[in-house]
């Protein structure tokens, strides 16, 4: 199992977001009760008016060195568990970066 799936030229990334964290970071994996894996992410922003979601997109853009405009929320607007689409992200370089973040504990 992995935290991403390829959808044509895009990647769909499964993320478990912790808003209101002391430190922003991406790394590690969280497994739900059904065995699905989610990349862990923490942002300082609070979950009000989409601030945490916007901060997550910005954080992923930074970590992946990918334009924020090419990362969009597919599902989980008001949930900790989110699916994000990374347009044009089905590239070995990006997949490698994501896999490295999964291995972080």
């Amino acid at each position: 199992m992995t935290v991403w799936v390829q959808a044509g030229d895009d990647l769909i990334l499964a993320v478990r977001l912790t808003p209101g964290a002391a430190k922003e970071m991406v790394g590690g994996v969280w497994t739900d009760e059904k065995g699905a894996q989610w990349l862990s992410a923490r942002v300082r922003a609070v979950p009000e008016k989409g601030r945490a979601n916007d901060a997550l997109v910005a954080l992923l853009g930074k970590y992946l060195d990918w334009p924020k405009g090419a990362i969009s929320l597919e599902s989980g607007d008001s949930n900790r568990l989110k699916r994000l689409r990374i347009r044009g992200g089905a590239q070995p370089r990006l997949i490698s970066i994501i896999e490295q973040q999964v291995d972080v504990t």
Side-chain angles (χ1 to χ4, degrees), residues 23-42:
K23 179 180 175 185
E24 291 194 342
M25 64 171 279
V26 175
V29 69
W30 181 79
T31 305
D32 67 18
E33 65 280 351
K34 296 178 183 175
Q37 293 185 330
W38 303 79
L39 180 64
S40 294
R42 296 176 180 270

Side-chain angles (χ1 to χ4, degrees), residues 57-58 61 66-72 85-87:
V57 168
W66 204 253
K68 291 185 314 185
I71 302 172
S72 60
R85 179 174 294 269
I86 303 171
R87 286 187 301 284

Side-chain angles (χ1 to χ4, degrees), residues 19-97:
K23 179 180 175 185
E24 291 194 342
M25 64 171 279
V26 175
V29 69
W30 181 79
T31 305
D32 67 18
E33 65 280 351
K34 296 178 183 175
Q37 293 185 330
W38 303 79
L39 180 64
S40 294
R42 296 176 180 270
V43 295
R44 288 188 181 111
V46 295
E48 284 180 3
K49 300 179 183 176
R51 290 184 185 129
N53 292 333
D54 292 343
L56 174 62
V57 168
L59 181 64
L60 288 174
K62 176 183 167 187
Y63 266 88
L64 300 174
D65 191 25
W66 204 253
K68 291 185 314 185
I71 302 172
S72 60
L73 190 66
E74 288 278 301
S75 67
D77 184 48
S78 60
N79 192 320
R80 283 182 185 256
L81 302 178
K82 302 179 182 299
R83 294 207 189 272
L84 293 107
R85 179 174 294 269
I86 303 171
R87 286 187 301 284
Q91 299 180 12
R93 179 188 74 82
L94 214 58
I95 292 169
S96 175
I97 292 169

Side-chain angles (χ1 to χ4, degrees), residues 12-24:
I12 306 296
L13 185 61
V15 177
R16 181 178 190 268
L17 179 63
T18 302
K23 179 180 175 185
E24 291 194 342

